[in-house]
Amino acid sequence: MSTTINRQAHRLAEALERGLHVVRFTPSGGLHAAITVNRPRHEVYRFWRDLENLPRFMAHVESVVTVPGGGSHWRVRGPANRIIEWDAEITRDREDELISWRSLGGAATRHRGSVRFTDAPGGRGTEVRVEMEYRTPGGRAGLVVARLFGEHPEQQVRDDLRRFKQVMETGEVARSAGSPEGPRAWRQFFQHKAQPAEHARRPAQHASR
Amino acid sequence: MKANCWMGRNKVEVLDVPEPGILNPRDAVVRVTSTAICGSDLHLYDGYIPTMRKGDVLGHEFMGEVVEVGPGVANLRPGDRVVVPFPIACGACLACEHGMYSLCENSNPNAGLAEKMMGHSPAGIFGYSHMLGGYPGGQAQYARVPFADIGPIKIDDDLPDEKVLFLSDILPTGWMGAEMCDIKPGDVIAVWGAGPVGQFAAAAALQLGAEQVVSIDRFPYRLEIAGRAGALTLNYEEVDVLDALRDITAGRGPDACIDAVGMEAHYPVAAVQAYDRAKQAARLETDRPHALREAIMACRNGGIVSVIGVYGGFVDKFPMGSFMNRSLTMRTGQCHVQRYMKPLLDRIREGFDPSFVITHHMRLEDAPRAFEMFKNKEHYCNKVVLSPW
């Protein structure tokens, strides 16, 4: 009974949240995020389908190398700067609509996900919805993946999607002195503040240029 | 280079900081020739805007000469003289396409922070907290300008800095405040706050056809400037504002009310001021919204409340009953500056001279003194322009 109610609530929330950046995280290891990109659906799909583009906006991903037949090799920067690698395969690929993938091999990095592309209403571009699943610690599987998303998984996936939108719409990842690393997006988690260098901390009256 | 840095509450320091460079293809670096202190900088100075960090370079009103452009900027070249709008905008997202530049969806790299505070993130702003991007500001000798192909407007002729500098913020902000009032023949417009933005709002309301503009403040020298711009003036320490406005409009109330005060309003009734001041100090509310409350109460039935004064967070004792039962409309926003620069520059070329708000020209090194003076309204300080060189 409660499942039905949950499902209804879920659907209602989803309807309310259409077009907004939305992420939900459930203890079972499900992640859910969405964003609207002001570009045609085909273009948005094509960019994502070239998996080697993904490090441009995904915080942890150092590189993705694709191999013929839908396979890919992922290098990801994990906790304590450790590089973690795994292979993945595309399980479903419907042009301009859907890409699903799953990891291959080790339980620690096992996860699967999908990204859906639909037309946003009224010429607002393309709605992009990501879903990911992994089993959380305790269930052993998905341990590394869970840690990658840290304590605020929803925020991290949302930020990835926001950078995806930036790249699609403006051709670059927005950077400030508060986040000067840009494409090396993972470093944004350890942001520098916009402050003078320590050595330069002296009153400017005595400085000359 | 020298830059004016936020060093904590009530403290700014001019420090030697690294020069900015090109980080992205659509960046430019500008050698700042003139920069100004904005009333909204005082909210930072007073410590009411969250996510400021020690050392942040302040300043969102600046202009100068382009010294370097990234490969993605085709419309600017080194040597070009530009005024830079304070909201950073990409020009490509849906908000920018609709002219809502201060709501750019791509210019705030720390949008996640802003979402926590406000639900959704507005655009990044120069020198205005990490929540709004962490972009170093323009109270410096050089500034990096992202999306330089979209924002800055070129000034080709020999108009002096002081006539065009305010295209960066306060002139368009005042103008938008008046524009949001949908002014029709016969309209009386009341403006809370006779600082530079309120003075420009009053001037704009008259230019847009208002029958009468009433400016409200407590500093005679500021009211005098608004008066010279054509407004009738009310000193709220001398008259009851609601009564006076009822008199002026024969009971109707102003057709539209502009709040050009924002989050640190002062209130003549000591108990109410103390209540908000205490809550704000205890961080139970972030803003002191007296001007907004009074603007709502004063507005005629079915009128418009136009909010251009800056609010940072949450307000208390909002007169929702008055607002709802009387069919009021509220319009708000950080100014979509890019939308107004060209038409307002044309007006300046035709003879409108916004430099009437300036009372002080100072060196960038004197920024700490200038902030203190501006905050405490010493020496009739209305608007300070700083020269970094």
Side-chain angles (χ1 to χ4, degrees), chain B residues 14 16 35 63 114 118 124 134 141 176 196 211 221 228 242 251 313 337:
Chain B
V14 178
D16 191 13
T35 176
M63 63 177 295
M118 296 190 262
Q141 292 184 306
M176 187 169 107
E211 178 76 21
Y221 74 93
R228 282 204 298 271
L242 293 182
V337 176

Side-chain angles (χ1 to χ4, degrees), chain B residues 66-369:
Chain B
V66 175
V67 290
E68 197 181 349
V69 294
V73 182
N75 58 331
L76 294 178
R77 276 188 310 208
D80 284 345
R81 188 166 167 241
V82 292
V83 180
V84 180
F86 79 86
I88 300 168
C90 76
C93 65
L94 211 63
C96 284
E97 277 183 1
H98 287 82
M100 311 284 275
Y101 295 96
S102 76
L103 302 177
C104 173
E105 296 159 20
N106 289 316
S107 64
N108 185 358
N110 301 332
L113 268 177
E115 279 181 353
K116 287 197 177 69
M117 187 88 178
M118 296 190 262
H120 297 272
S121 174
I125 294 180
F126 290 102
Y128 218 80
S129 85
H130 288 261
M131 178 173 81
L132 296 179
Y135 290 99
Q139 287 168 13
Q141 292 184 306
Y142 292 95
R144 166 186 169 243
V145 179
F147 302 122
D149 53 333
I150 296 298
I153 187 168
K154 259 197 266 189
I155 310 291
D156 294 322
D157 44 28
D158 53 3
L159 288 167
D161 277 19
E162 61 178 33
K163 280 195 182 181
V164 291
L165 171 61
F166 302 134
L167 288 170
S168 59
D169 176 353
I170 54 172
L171 178 57
T173 296
W175 192 272
M176 187 169 107
E179 202 183 67
M180 289 193 296
C181 294
D182 250 348
I183 295 170
K184 294 176 185 64
D187 276 3
V188 177
I189 310 296
V191 184
W192 274 256
V197 169
Q199 290 157 3
F200 282 143
L206 288 166
Q207 289 198 36
L208 289 169
E211 178 76 21
Q212 182 152 57
V213 172
V214 185
S215 278
I216 302 152
D217 205 299
R218 68 186 167 122
F219 293 102
Y221 74 93
R222 307 217 297 180
L223 286 170
E224 199 184 305
I225 300 172
R228 282 204 298 271
L232 188 70
T233 61
L234 292 180
N235 185 327
Y236 65 78
E237 290 186 329
E238 291 167 5
V239 298
D240 182 288
V241 172
L242 293 182
D243 271 355
L245 289 173
R246 259 184 234 116
D247 276 353
I248 291 165
T249 58
R252 303 186 303 277
D255 298 279
C257 295
I258 300 175
D259 172 0
V261 176
M263 62 189 289
E264 290 185 70
H266 177 266
Y267 195 71
V269 175
V272 180
Q273 169 76 6
Y275 168 83
D276 277 308
R277 194 69 193 74
K279 288 203 84 165
Q280 198 174 33
R283 299 297 189 267
L284 293 172
E285 76 183 329
T286 50
D287 303 357
R288 299 199 296 271
H290 305 311
L292 181 60
R293 290 178 190 140
E294 198 168 65
I296 289 169
M297 299 299 281
C299 197
R300 78 152 157 82
N301 287 355
I304 293 171
V305 178
S306 163
V307 184
I308 49 175
V310 171
Y311 289 84
F314 298 88
V315 303
D316 203 358
K317 299 282 183 289
F318 184 86
M320 195 61 207
S322 169
F323 188 71
M324 182 272 159
N325 285 289
R326 302 192 303 107
S327 303
L328 299 185
T329 299
M330 187 181 291
R331 292 186 177 163
T332 65
Q334 292 281 3
C335 183
H336 307 295
V337 176
Q338 286 84 338
R339 198 201 277 174
Y340 298 95
M341 292 181 105
K342 172 78 172 66
L344 290 176
L345 177 60
D346 289 345
R347 277 180 191 261
I348 293 168
R349 285 202 177 107
E350 286 157 16
F352 176 69
D353 182 0
S355 64
F356 71 86
V357 299
I358 302 173
T359 50
H360 292 75
H361 285 275
M362 297 169 78
R363 310 281 310 162
L364 177 65
E365 291 95 310
D366 301 325
R369 173 73 193 117

